[in-house]
Every structure is written in C-alpha cells, then in structure tokens.
Amino acid sequence: MLIDDRDLVILALEGKQHAFSQLMQRHKDSLRSYLQHQFSPGVATEDLLLVIFDKAFRKLESYDPQFAFSTWLFTIADNSCIDYIRKQKSLAKAIRQVTHRSELHDSSASSDPESEMIAAQEAAMLLDHIDRLKPIYREPARLRFLQDYAYEEIAQELSIPLGTIKTRIHRAKEILAKWITPL
C-alpha cells in the first residue's frame, strides 16, 4: 500500500526517519530535473538538492497539509535557487571588485595612497582565501580569479577535462562565498 505524502510528513514529524527518506526518494528525481533545467551544467545540482531536502527536513513542521507536499517542496527549491544565485552574484561581485581594484592599482601610479592600500589588502585577502582552498581547487581558482584564464585555457594548462575544471571552479566559488560573504 502506497502511503501518501501527507501521512509520510506526519510520520516524519513523529521522528520516523524512514518516512522522510521515502519523501526524499519520491521527490528527488523531479527536483533534480527541475534544478538541471534551472542551471547550466557545472552547477553542483546534487549539492543544491541536499540543501533543499535539509531545509525541508528542518522546516517540516511549517508544511500545510492543505497543499500538496510537492508544491511546498518546490517552493523551498525556488527559494534555495534564489539564495544560491544571490550568493554567486555576491561572490562574483566581490571577486570583480578585488581584481578590478588590483588592476587599477597596477595601471595607475597616481592613485591616492588610501585606495592603493585598500586594493592591496583586498587582493591579499582574496589570495589568502584562495591559498586556503584544497589543492584540487586552489590552482584552477588562481588561474580563473587572479589571472583571468578562460575555463578552456585552465583545462589545457592543467591537463584536466573541461567539465572537471568547471566543477572545481564552481566548488571553489562556493567555498570562497562562505568565507568572503557573511550569511
């Protein structure tokens, strides 16, 4: 007998782990497909999928059984996608600002000392964060963010498949976003 989502939610709220596992199993393929249509390849959709289910599990008591569980879950997915995009934009902006200020510093000998000092500090901070990355992310991040290499150039330089490079740079961005931008 197939238990409906509403009954599984009740069981999950009672602490029955298997009920939440069944909900995950039941909805993960449609959510994965949704995420793959929302984002380009290289985005860690599996990581985002786990974030969505984690949020759903933590907020399960807010589910209103008047609506379909899938509707509630996809609302969480939409909000998680928005959060992800905001975080990526914020990180990209921070990286652009640091690299732009560094470029201005390099090309402008007549800039004021305060701007030079701020640019140097921001560049040093970015470099320090990149140096803290795991080795598999560190070199692709350096080439991308500090030397402005294209993905294809990085793949060629490091003799690593392009898809792997995209994934490593994406994960490096996620890690840097946590370190650079406050939650």
Side-chain angles (χ1 to χ4, degrees):
M1 182 172 103
L2 186 68
I3 301 175
D4 90 350
D5 287 347
R6 289 173 181 91
D7 292 335
L8 286 173
V9 168
I10 292 168
L11 291 171
L13 286 170
E14 292 173 357
K16 309 286 193 249
Q17 182 61 40
H18 75 281
F20 191 75
S21 295
Q22 273 188 274
L23 286 167
M24 277 182 65
Q25 196 65 32
R26 190 174 287 178
H27 296 282
K28 73 177 180 174
D29 291 336
S30 59
L31 261 179
R32 182 182 293 115
S33 178
Y34 172 75
L35 293 173
Q36 288 169 341
H37 283 92
Q38 294 298 314
F39 297 106
S40 60
V43 172
T45 55
E46 292 302 313
D47 293 344
L48 198 49
L49 190 64
L50 292 175
V51 167
I52 293 165
F53 279 115
D54 179 59
K55 285 181 182 178
F57 183 71
R58 285 186 287 115
K59 297 178 180 190
L60 201 55
E61 70 283 344
S62 71
Y63 167 67
D64 184 350
Q66 186 176 9
F67 304 100
F69 180 77
S70 59
T71 303
W72 179 77
L73 189 60
F74 275 82
T75 300
I76 292 173
D78 284 338
N79 292 332
S80 297
C81 289
I82 291 167
D83 291 345
Y84 174 83
I85 291 167
R86 281 185 187 142
K87 194 177 275 188
Q88 293 303 308
K89 284 183 179 179
S90 180
L91 172 63
K93 182 179 178 186
I95 289 171
R96 275 195 311 274
Q97 286 174 340
V98 170
T99 55
H100 177 68
R101 286 188 185 135
S102 296
E103 288 167 5
L104 287 177
H105 171 68
D106 291 344
S107 66
S108 170
S110 65
S111 64
D112 67 280
E114 184 180 356
S115 295
E116 288 179 15
M117 188 172 71
I118 290 170
Q121 288 173 343
E122 288 174 340
M125 178 198 67
L126 179 61
L127 185 58
D128 179 55
H129 287 313
I130 289 173
D131 285 343
R132 289 176 37 212
L133 291 170
K134 289 182 181 179
I136 64 169
Y137 305 130
R138 188 178 308 132
E139 194 57 26
R142 276 190 190 135
L143 293 172
R144 180 72 181 150
F145 305 132
L146 301 177
Q147 296 180 17
D148 205 27
Y149 276 39
Y151 289 107
E152 294 80 8
E153 293 172 316
I154 298 168
Q156 186 175 3
E157 176 86 15
L158 299 178
S159 301
I160 297 174
L162 180 61
T164 303
I165 289 298
K166 287 180 178 180
T167 299
R168 288 181 183 178
I169 289 172
H170 170 75
R171 290 197 177 135
K173 279 183 188 177
E174 288 180 331
I175 294 165
L176 291 169
K178 289 177 186 172
W179 292 344
I180 292 174
T181 58
L183 294 176

